[in-house]
């Protein structure tokens, strides 16, 4: 079967797109995503303060 | 459950990024702005709890059917709880009562995240495993993080022996409580969790018991709830009161808790649970529960009993009450009586109490248990009455083994404060070459003498939980003291007997403790290792089972786990949590059932030797002739 030039170019575009996605690993993260901070334990430790204890000192007994 | 550092709570792992859920963008579930370059910008519009706030649009994108029902599940809504409170309130009081409920009782609700990703909100939140989604909830960090004080303590052996489903079959919560039960939408007006169509029942696995080989099943079928025969003692709570402190934080206090067991008439007979008799647990609802919100909030208090049907999660095939028929039949104390009720709850519990003539009568012919108590040393336990009568005796030294705060608040008159967990000179330091083992003779003798103790004194020790007193008594026993006793019931029993307490610190003089240490009582890890396969030796691990099964570890141990071949018998099997000691017959029977026999060498082990020393004291009280303390215990074992 003969294929015309348009069909060839479309196939190539689709192939490149597929390869591009494969290279990126399929994740939806951009370069500046949440995981930049949330996978860096040292960074989190420097920037997160101890949260105030919200349990009353009067709390006693089994719940 | 160890608290998490702030960064641990939100640290995402590589394992999560490699997982199916990790292929989604964070903002797909959590919103926020993943293009921002600072924390503030990134967290603009951020939702930390998408499975609570928006389950259908987040989890429901893939888990459509589950997300439709979970928002209406019992875990999400706690819907049966307000039902009981509403029954006791009326139209005039309900709004205020419900407001109190929402501030104090409703914090335990959770959704998908709190069972599959993070610790629940009530337990302080934080990723269990770096944001990895687990189909099976974590029994320590999730299930019993909320269901801890009753279920968790009973299941793992913080009270009693723990549950055979864990010990023998390594079962966890989801092995009985299926996803269909957890995810099910609770119908409007559901009476309680037992009425949920998907609720688990023993007979789901244990089928056709009435046709099996166990005669007692045929006799008691449909008459007696399974747990009546197969549960151990459990906690009962009294008089919850709520309030708001001066910082505006809501709190509750239970005025009284005790470990016990009561059989009563089943207040909730439904198909599948239509037993005449059931185990009842006292719940802490009180007339004044929400008094800080509205006085007399429960004008219809009596409509519902305060002794409720319960299913303690501490099942054993053989228990003391099923050891022989007459351990249950004819036992007035085991059945809920009107005299067990407080004045304000007599009417509420009218239908569940068992009158004298309603107790199943003693059986004429029963199998004898043949328990030999002739070697029990009864002097090792003293009652509050005895101690009160002998408090002024010069030869009696009373030691309070609780922490400093508890001692300073009040203590038995004349009691010297000696907290074995905090006192220098009883055990080596945590930084020493072999940490937390009993000190050398010279140091130990000097320390005991400084606290006014001579070897020949009659030394009586008490605490809140008997285990701390037992620990100190184990050290004293090792040091050569012969006349040592634990106060039955501890300080709680002393108070219940009506005897006075004081804040006044006693004066005492230092003495010379002429130490005669019983070195044969202590064995090291090499000895234990060389006897692991010795059939004449039984190694008893007295830790709670979340540790002995390896679910959690000790902070000083290199890894979780237990000594191969050791028998798991949590120390609370021998010490009740309010310091009352069960009868010697019952304790000896429990040990025999677990094949911990007096004709063997018993080595008691734990994490640091603390509970092991308490276990040694109890076994020697019961007359076991050859008990050894693995003083190095697990934290040093893992160094081998």
């Amino acid at each position: 079967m003969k294929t015309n030039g348009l069909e060839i170019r479309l196939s190539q575009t689709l192939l490149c797109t597929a390869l591009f996605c494969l290279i990126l690993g399929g994740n939806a993260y951009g370069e500046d995503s949440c995981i930049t901070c949330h996978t860096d334990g040292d960074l989190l430790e420097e920037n997160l303060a101890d949260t105030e204890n919200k349990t009353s000192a009067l709390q006693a007994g089994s719940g | 459950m160890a608290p998490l550092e702030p960064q641990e709570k939100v640290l995402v792992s590589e394992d999560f990024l490699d997982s199916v859920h990790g292929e989604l963008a964070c903002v797909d579930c959590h919103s926020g702005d993943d293009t921002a370059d600072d924390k503030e910008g990134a967290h603009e519009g951020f939702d930390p709890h998408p499975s609570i706030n928006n389950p259908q649009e987040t989890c429901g994108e893939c888990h459509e059917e589950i997300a439709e029902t979970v928002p209406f599940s019992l875990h999400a809504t706690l819907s049966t709880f307000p039902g009981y409170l509403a029954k006791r309130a009326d139209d005039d009081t309900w709004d205020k009562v419900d407001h109190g409920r929402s501030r104090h009782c409703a914090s335990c609700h959770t959704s998908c995240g709190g069972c599959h990703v993070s610790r629940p909100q009530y337990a302080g939140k934080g990723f269990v495993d770096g944001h990895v989604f687990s189909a099976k909830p974590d029994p320590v960090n999730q299930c019993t993080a909320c269901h801890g004080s009753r279920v968790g303590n009973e299941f793992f052996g913080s009270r009693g022996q723990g549950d055979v489903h864990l010990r023998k079959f390594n079962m966890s919560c989801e092995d009985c409580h299926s996803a269909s039960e957890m995810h099910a939408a609770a119908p409007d007006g559901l009476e309680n969790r037992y009425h949920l169509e998907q609720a688990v029942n023993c007979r789901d696995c244990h089928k056709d018991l009435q046709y099996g080989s166990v005669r007692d099943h045929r006799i008691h079928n449909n008459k007696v709830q399974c747990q009546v025969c197969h549960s151990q003692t459990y906690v009962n709570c009294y008089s919850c009161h709520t309030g708001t402190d001066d910082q505006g934080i809501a709190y509750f206090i239970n005025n009284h808790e005790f470990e016990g067991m009561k059989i009563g008439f089943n207040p909730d007979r439904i198909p599948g649970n239509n037993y005449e008799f059931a185990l009842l647990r006292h719940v802490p609802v009180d007339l004044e529960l929400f008094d800080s919100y509205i006085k007399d909030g429960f004008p219809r208090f009596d409509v519902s009993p305060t002794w409720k049907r319960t299913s303690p999660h501490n099942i054993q095939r053989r228990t003391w009450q099923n050891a022989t028929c007459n351990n249950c039949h004819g036992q007035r104390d085991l059945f809920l009586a009107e005299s067990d009720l407080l004045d304000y709850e007599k009417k509420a519990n009218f239908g569940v109490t068992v009158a004298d003539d309603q107790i199943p009568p003693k059986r004429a012919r029963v199998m004898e248990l043949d328990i030999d108590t002739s070697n029990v040393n009864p002097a090792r336990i003293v009652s509050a009455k005895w101690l009160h009568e002998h408090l002024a005796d010069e030869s009696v030294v009373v030691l309070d083994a609780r922490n400093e705060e508890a001692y300073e608040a009040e203590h038995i008159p004349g009691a010297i404060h000696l907290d074995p967990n905090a006192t220098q000179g009883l055990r080596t330091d945590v930084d020493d070459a072999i940490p937390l083992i009993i000190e050398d003779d010279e140091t130990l003798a000097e320390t005991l003498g400084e606290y006014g103790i001579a070897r020949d004194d009659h030394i009586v020790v008490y605490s809140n939980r008997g285990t701390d007193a037992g620990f100190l008594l184990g050290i004293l026993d090792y040091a050569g003291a012969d006349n040592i006793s634990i106060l039955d019931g501890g300080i709680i029993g002393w108070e219940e007997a009506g005897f006075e307490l004081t804040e006044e610190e006693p004066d005492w003089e230092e003495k010379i403790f002429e130490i005669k240490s019983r070195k044969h009582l202590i064995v090291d890890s090499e000895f234990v290792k060389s006897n692991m396969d010795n059939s004449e030796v039984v190694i008893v691990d007295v830790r709670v089972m979340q540790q002995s099964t390896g679910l959690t570890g000790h902070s000083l141990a290199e890894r979780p786990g237990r000594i191969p071949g050791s028998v798991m018998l949590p120390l609370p099997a021998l010490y009740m949590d309010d310091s009352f000691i069960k009868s010697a017959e019952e304790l000896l029977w429990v040990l025999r059932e677990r094949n911990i026999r007096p004709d063997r060498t018993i080595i008691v082990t734990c994490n640091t030797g603390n509970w092991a020393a308490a276990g040694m004291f109890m076994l020697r009280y019961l007359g076991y002739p050859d008990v050894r303390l693995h003083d190095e215990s697990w934290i040093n074992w893992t160094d081998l």
Side-chain angles (χ1 to χ4, degrees):
Chain A
M1 183 175 71
K2 271 180 142 177
T3 50
N4 62 32
L6 179 61
E7 284 171 331
I8 292 169
R9 281 199 292 277
L10 190 58
S11 300
Q12 287 172 337
T13 303
L14 286 171
L15 180 61
C16 286
T17 305
L19 282 172
F20 186 70
C21 290
L22 192 63
I23 289 164
L24 283 184
N27 283 335
Y29 308 117
E31 283 188 6
D32 300 309
S33 73
C34 319
I35 61 165
T36 303
C37 293
H38 279 274
T39 52
D40 187 336
D42 294 333
L43 185 71
L44 290 173
E45 191 173 352
E46 281 168 26
N47 286 280
L48 286 176
D50 270 335
T51 52
E52 210 176 296
N53 185 4
K54 291 191 179 161
T55 304
S56 170
L58 297 174
Q59 177 73 28
S62 306
Chain B
M1 189 179 66
L4 294 173
E5 297 294 330
Q7 68 277 9
E8 288 178 306
K9 291 186 177 186
V10 295
L11 182 63
V12 174
S13 70
E14 291 293 327
D15 286 342
F16 169 72
L17 299 179
D18 293 336
S19 70
V20 166
H21 291 94
E23 293 177 11
L24 301 168
C26 309
V27 295
D28 285 347
C29 295
H30 289 288
S31 300
D33 181 1
D34 63 356
T35 63
D37 56 9
D38 66 2
K39 180 185 168 185
E40 251 185 50
H43 286 189
E44 181 84 28
F46 169 70
D47 181 1
H49 306 297
S51 68
I52 292 177
N53 298 323
N54 192 11
Q56 281 89 357
E57 304 273 313
T58 51
C59 313
E61 282 288 304
C62 295
H63 304 281
E64 194 176 330
E65 279 182 27
I66 296 173
E68 270 183 24
T69 59
V70 161
F72 305 101
S73 67
L74 286 176
H75 275 87
T77 64
L78 309 178
S79 63
T80 58
F81 205 79
Y84 276 108
L85 295 176
K87 278 185 191 178
R88 294 191 164 102
D90 64 18
D91 290 342
D92 293 331
T93 62
W94 172 240
D95 282 348
K96 292 266 171 67
V97 165
D98 194 37
H99 176 58
R101 179 201 62 83
S102 67
R103 291 195 73 223
H104 298 273
C105 317
S107 56
C108 268
H109 76 282
T110 189
S111 189
C112 319
C115 292
H116 295 289
V117 182
S118 307
R119 289 180 178 179
Q121 208 158 347
Y122 176 77
K125 303 183 284 185
F127 296 142
V128 171
D129 185 17
H131 207 311
V132 170
F133 282 69
S134 173
K136 292 185 178 183
D138 183 307
V140 174
N141 288 292
Q142 290 168 325
C143 309
T144 61
C146 288
H147 299 279
S149 59
R150 288 181 281 268
V151 171
N153 283 348
E154 289 156 11
F155 193 67
F156 291 121
S158 291
R159 192 175 287 120
Q161 289 190 58
D163 196 298
V164 69
H165 294 90
L166 170 65
R167 177 175 57 77
K168 208 166 172 186
F169 301 103
N170 206 28
M171 289 170 69
S172 189
C173 313
E174 80 283 348
D175 289 310
C176 293
H177 296 285
S178 64
S180 62
E181 180 185 358
M182 295 295 104
H183 295 158
D188 283 342
L190 187 73
E191 172 77 13
N192 60 51
R193 62 187 183 280
Y194 295 113
H195 290 234
L196 190 69
E197 186 189 328
Q198 298 85 351
V200 67
N201 190 295
C202 306
R203 293 168 190 264
D204 293 343
C205 287
H206 300 279
K207 297 182 191 297
D208 297 329
L209 295 172
Q210 67 271 31
Y211 306 122
S213 61
V214 179
R215 179 204 65 168
D216 292 344
H217 286 159
R218 293 199 300 278
I219 293 171
H220 296 96
N221 184 48
N222 288 328
K223 295 178 193 167
V224 176
Q225 179 205 27
C226 308
Q227 285 85 350
V228 166
C229 296
H230 292 291
S231 281
Q232 306 165 70
T233 49
Y234 46 86
V235 72
N236 296 273
C237 304
Y238 279 77
S239 295
C240 182
H241 283 67
T242 58
T244 305
D245 67 16
D246 53 16
Q247 292 178 31
I249 304 174
Y251 68 88
F252 67 82
I253 298 176
N254 284 338
N255 282 346
H256 181 51
E257 298 171 8
F258 77 92
E259 182 181 336
M261 177 185 285
K262 288 291 179 186
I263 303 169
F265 288 117
N266 182 1
D268 187 29
R269 298 183 74 159
I270 54 174
N273 285 294
N274 195 27
Y275 311 106
E276 184 181 5
F277 289 104
L279 280 188
L280 303 179
R281 188 196 301 262
H282 195 277
V283 296
V285 66
D286 188 274
L287 280 167
E288 298 171 358
L289 173 57
F290 293 118
D291 259 25
S292 61
Y293 297 91
I294 181 168
K295 291 283 181 210
D296 301 322
F298 293 136
R300 299 185 304 194
F301 186 82
D302 300 326
V303 300
S304 188
T306 57
W307 283 90
K308 293 277 201 256
R309 176 194 157 189
T310 187
S311 308
H313 284 57
N314 55 11
I315 300 297
Q316 294 289 328
R317 188 174 71 90
R318 297 266 288 155
T319 61
W320 182 239
Q321 65 272 20
N322 77 26
T324 183
C325 305
N326 290 341
N327 274 4
C328 187
H329 282 253
Q331 293 293 334
R332 171 70 264 184
D333 285 347
L334 193 52
F335 289 81
L336 185 68
E338 195 182 327
S339 57
D340 293 319
L341 306 177
L342 299 174
D343 288 339
Y344 68 83
E345 57 178 12
K346 285 197 190 303
K347 277 182 72 176
N349 293 290
F350 176 72
V352 299
T353 50
V354 183
D356 290 351
D357 59 357
Q358 294 174 309
I359 295 171
K362 275 193 185 299
R363 307 287 295 172
R365 285 168 50 188
V366 295
M367 192 179 303
E368 294 300 323
L369 291 180
D370 191 26
I371 299 169
D372 181 8
T373 59
S374 61
N375 295 313
V376 174
N377 185 350
R380 294 233 154 157
I381 296 186
V382 298
S383 66
K385 181 170 178 289
W386 181 95
L387 182 59
H388 190 253
E389 288 167 0
H390 293 86
L391 207 50
D393 291 3
E394 275 194 23
S395 61
V396 171
V397 173
V398 182
L399 302 177
D400 185 321
R402 299 173 301 155
N403 63 42
E404 192 172 354
E405 191 185 345
Y407 177 81
E408 285 180 354
E410 57 188 8
H411 50 266
I412 292 175
I416 298 168
H417 181 231
L418 181 49
D419 177 359
N421 297 298
T423 302
Q424 296 284 335
L426 293 179
R427 297 198 294 173
T428 56
D429 285 336
V430 72
D431 299 321
D432 282 346
I434 306 178
L436 300 177
I437 58 170
I438 296 176
E439 274 286 11
D440 60 86
D441 282 4
E442 189 182 339
T443 308
L444 188 57
E446 189 181 337
T447 304
L448 294 174
E450 279 171 5
Y451 281 85
I453 307 165
R455 184 166 57 85
D456 295 335
D457 286 333
H458 185 173
I459 308 162
V460 179
V461 187
Y462 70 88
S463 58
N464 280 329
R465 291 197 68 157
T467 49
D468 290 326
F471 172 30
L472 182 53
L473 285 159
I475 294 176
L476 288 163
D477 189 4
Y478 164 77
D482 284 320
N483 203 357
I484 53 176
S485 306
I486 190 169
L487 176 60
D488 192 9
I491 192 166
I492 297 166
W494 177 270
E495 240 185 322
E496 286 184 357
F499 301 134
E500 71 279 9
L501 294 168
T502 183
E503 292 177 21
E504 199 180 312
E505 284 217 30
D507 291 322
W508 76 84
E509 286 179 9
E510 290 189 17
K511 296 178 184 174
I512 295 173
F513 189 97
E514 292 175 351
I515 193 164
K516 271 190 183 177
S517 58
R518 298 181 165 107
K519 299 232 184 303
H520 66 279
L521 288 181
I522 289 186
V523 295
D524 60 17
S525 294
E526 288 298 335
F527 180 91
V528 175
K529 197 174 171 197
S530 62
N531 282 283
M532 282 195 311
D533 296 324
N534 185 342
S535 59
E536 298 302 310
V537 173
V538 180
I539 304 167
V540 180
D541 187 331
V542 294
R543 295 176 296 168
V544 289
M545 290 203 289
Q546 62 263 55
Q547 290 186 332
S548 51
T549 57
L551 283 171
T552 62
H554 192 277
S555 58
L556 295 177
E558 283 196 10
R559 53 183 168 83
R562 81 177 193 276
I563 296 170
S566 56
V567 172
M568 290 188 279
L569 182 75
L571 190 67
L574 305 176
Y575 289 87
M576 295 176 79
D577 66 355
D578 44 18
S579 279
F580 286 99
I581 309 288
K582 291 180 176 175
S583 71
E585 289 88 349
E586 182 173 349
L587 294 175
L588 285 166
W589 181 88
V590 165
L591 291 165
R592 188 173 73 185
E593 283 297 303
R594 300 300 311 280
N595 215 24
I596 302 169
R597 295 178 177 269
D599 60 355
R600 310 247 168 94
T601 296
I602 311 297
I603 299 175
V604 193
T605 188
C606 67
N607 276 317
T608 65
N610 173 333
W611 273 22
M616 179 180 75
F617 170 77
M618 188 56 72
L619 288 169
R620 280 167 62 76
Y621 147 68
L622 290 169
Y624 277 62
D626 189 6
V627 185
R628 317 288 184 94
L629 168 63
H630 179 211
D631 198 19
E632 292 173 9
S633 273
W634 181 251
I635 61 167
N636 293 297
W637 178 273
T638 54
D639 286 342
L640 286 182

